[in-house]
Amino acid sequence: MTRLPCRTKAVLGSAAAGALVVSALAASPVAADPAEGTCKTFEDPQFIGWTTYDELGPKLQRIARNSNGRVDVEVVGETELGRDVYAARVGTGDRIALVQSAIHGNERTGTEALLGILRTLASSNDPATRRVLEEVTLVAMPMVNPDGGELNRRTNVISWDEVITRHPQLEGTDPAWYHRPRNLGIDLPGFDLNRDFNADLGYEPRPEDLPGRQVDAGFYLSPESQAIRDVYVDLRNEFGGVDAFVDLHHMGACNWQTGGDQDGRLISLALDYPPLGPNDGAAYQDEWPLLDQDKSRRYSLAIADGIKDHYGSQSPIAAVGRYFHPDAREFAGQARSAFGLNGTASVLFEVRGQSHNFGQKMKGMLTESVQTGVESMLDAMATGEVDTLNGDDFFDYPDYGWDQGSTD
Ligand SMILES: [Zn+2]
């Protein structure tokens, strides 16, 4: 399958295998994904209106400059193609939140939402903002896969030969299962970075572990995943732990419907806790005793409730549900799984559609829903409310139609 949004109907994925192969430099439109049948089509591969890599650094620097010292921006890594990976830090509290976006390069609402959150925290003085600044430390990584983002595709860009150069002990092994020769019609190899994580934060790649399987931990083979891991480890060393990790994505298809209060309407946002296999990851509990799936659900619930409270339960922005999560679903190599196993409450955001599907109005609406969701979590951390919720209440949120297709 060449086309792989976070969730793809298998039957549609195979249809998309015939997507037009184009050169990366030409950046021509790729064939529209049939899964996006009701969406705006991919008319503009230059993704006008979304923040580009070149714009991101200056935007972050401007926010920091105008923040009266509240926001610090740091370069925390460098991609294979030499682009910077940024982390912006704000707040002085001892409750720690790490939020990243665009690990899948073409999933962009989270970047805009994080910029909005940073602008608010940089300049607002209302009591709720001040409380967040006092109680929480937020580290935002708004674009962790700029090489993929600039190609408007999911994977980063790195050849297996380059991986071997960086990790010579892997000479002669088969490539990791999540390394791809091409992605979205672009003939440049790279990783699905959100499979490159391991709960063992000091893990060094070993040839006998490769190529691995979907259910297994990943190998930290890419500079981007290493940078994210290092930020997490540094926070843990500084504060003793990271309370929350949020990973901002798009679900690909944009015609999924939800149930519950908004039965039959299009879902705006689906949330999830780590997919660690049967019985809430029971098989991991001995080795990773800090794993707390209920805590991840409490944080997810704070986000869902916050969005509903903010917009009203019938708002199209508040069509919030649970992401695809059958009991057996297992992805130990995802960042949220690796950090969840280390005791961090981990929440996945899956926004409807793909970035290039949207006109300005829909783009604004979905970006707002992500921003409000993350802000709701920060607020619930600052007040302590997140600790008082019942994680089981997250299950009262509707799924978004898991029977509408299988997952890949
Ligand atoms: Zn994704």
Side-chain angles (χ1 to χ4, degrees), residues 25-108:
L25 290 175
S28 307
V30 297
D33 186 334
E36 292 154 5
T38 60
C39 304
K40 190 177 159 68
T41 53
F42 187 5
E43 291 163 348
D44 179 14
Q46 297 304 315
F47 44 90
I48 284 171
W50 299 97
T51 297
T52 64
Y53 170 75
D54 285 340
E55 293 165 343
L56 180 68
K59 282 187 182 184
L60 288 170
Q61 296 302 345
R62 197 173 314 127
I63 290 169
R65 252 193 336 268
N66 296 333
S67 74
N68 276 321
R70 288 183 187 175
V71 176
D72 281 318
V73 176
E74 235 190 296
V75 173
V76 293
E78 185 181 341
T79 69
E80 170 70 9
L81 300 184
R83 295 191 174 100
D84 291 333
V85 176
Y86 294 100
R89 176 164 162 166
V90 59
T92 55
D94 57 9
R95 300 201 65 155
I96 314 305
L98 173 60
V99 186
Q100 70 175 25
S101 181
I103 193 168
H104 292 146
N106 56 344
E107 301 175 10
R108 298 177 194 281

Side-chain angles (χ1 to χ4, degrees), residues 56-342:
L56 180 68
K59 282 187 182 184
L60 288 170
Q61 296 302 345
R62 197 173 314 127
I63 290 169
R65 252 193 336 268
N66 296 333
S67 74
N68 276 321
R70 288 183 187 175
V71 176
D72 281 318
V73 176
E74 235 190 296
V75 173
V76 293
E78 185 181 341
T79 69
E80 170 70 9
L81 300 184
R83 295 191 174 100
D84 291 333
V85 176
Y86 294 100
R89 176 164 162 166
V90 59
T92 55
D94 57 9
R95 300 201 65 155
I96 314 305
L98 173 60
V99 186
Q100 70 175 25
S101 181
I103 193 168
H104 292 146
N106 56 344
E107 301 175 10
R108 298 177 194 281
T109 48
T111 303
E112 311 301 326
L114 284 177
L115 288 169
I117 290 164
L118 289 169
R119 283 190 194 101
T120 301
L121 292 175
S123 58
S124 291
N125 286 305
D126 60 274
T129 300
R130 298 207 74 90
R131 187 171 55 208
V132 168
L133 291 168
E134 281 163 22
E135 301 294 335
V136 178
T137 296
L138 167 67
V139 174
M141 301 181 74
M143 191 183 286
V144 295
N145 177 13
D147 291 351
E150 291 299 291
L151 293 171
N152 210 21
R153 74 174 196 179
R154 178 186 181 91
T155 61
N156 74 340
V157 179
I158 187 167
S159 70
W160 190 251
D161 285 348
E162 180 56 30
V163 173
I164 299 296
T165 302
R166 289 170 182 259
H167 307 278
Q169 73 274 26
L170 299 181
E171 178 80 51
T173 58
D174 286 337
W177 69 272
Y178 51 91
H179 188 258
R180 309 221 175 117
R182 64 190 67 80
N183 178 229
L184 277 184
I186 298 166
D187 275 328
L188 290 170
F191 285 109
D192 183 336
L193 287 172
N194 199 29
R195 308 290 184 268
D196 198 32
F197 289 78
N198 195 311
D200 176 359
L201 301 169
Y203 176 84
E204 293 289 340
R206 295 180 303 212
E208 62 268 31
D209 294 341
L210 272 73
R213 302 167 303 161
Q214 176 180 297
V215 297
D216 295 334
F219 310 114
Y220 291 122
L221 294 172
S222 238
E224 297 89 345
S225 47
Q226 290 164 15
I228 297 161
R229 183 263 318 267
D230 292 348
V231 168
Y232 180 89
V233 169
D234 285 350
L235 284 171
R236 200 169 71 154
N237 290 341
E238 182 178 352
F239 293 97
V242 177
D243 296 276
F245 171 72
V246 178
D247 204 352
L248 302 172
H249 288 251
H250 280 256
M251 63 173 72
C254 67
N255 55 358
W256 298 113
Q257 296 173 355
T258 185
D261 287 350
Q262 300 211 32
D263 190 28
R265 298 207 203 144
L266 295 171
I267 191 142
S268 56
L269 170 65
L271 303 168
D272 194 24
Y273 53 96
L276 287 166
N279 298 317
D280 248 354
Y284 292 87
Q285 203 76 51
D286 279 354
E287 192 179 357
W288 304 101
L290 295 177
L291 173 65
D292 186 346
Q293 295 282 63
D294 187 71
K295 182 177 166 194
S296 289
R297 289 192 283 269
R298 287 198 297 278
Y299 279 70
S300 302
L301 182 65
I303 292 162
D305 286 352
I307 293 171
K308 280 194 115 156
D309 290 348
H310 192 87
Y311 299 104
S313 67
Q314 290 302 306
S315 164
I317 302 185
V320 181
R322 285 177 293 130
Y323 188 62
F324 186 76
H325 195 135
D327 194 47
R329 186 168 160 83
E330 187 167 357
F331 282 93
Q334 294 191 350
R336 59 187 177 127
S337 297
F339 300 151
L341 288 165
N342 279 283

Side-chain angles (χ1 to χ4, degrees), residues 7 16 19 22 157 206 214-215 260 271 282 311 351 386 390-391 400 403:
R7 174 167 180 255
V22 296
V157 179
R206 295 180 303 212
Q214 176 180 297
V215 297
L271 303 168
Y311 299 104
V351 174
V386 72
N390 179 352
Y400 68 102
D403 57 346

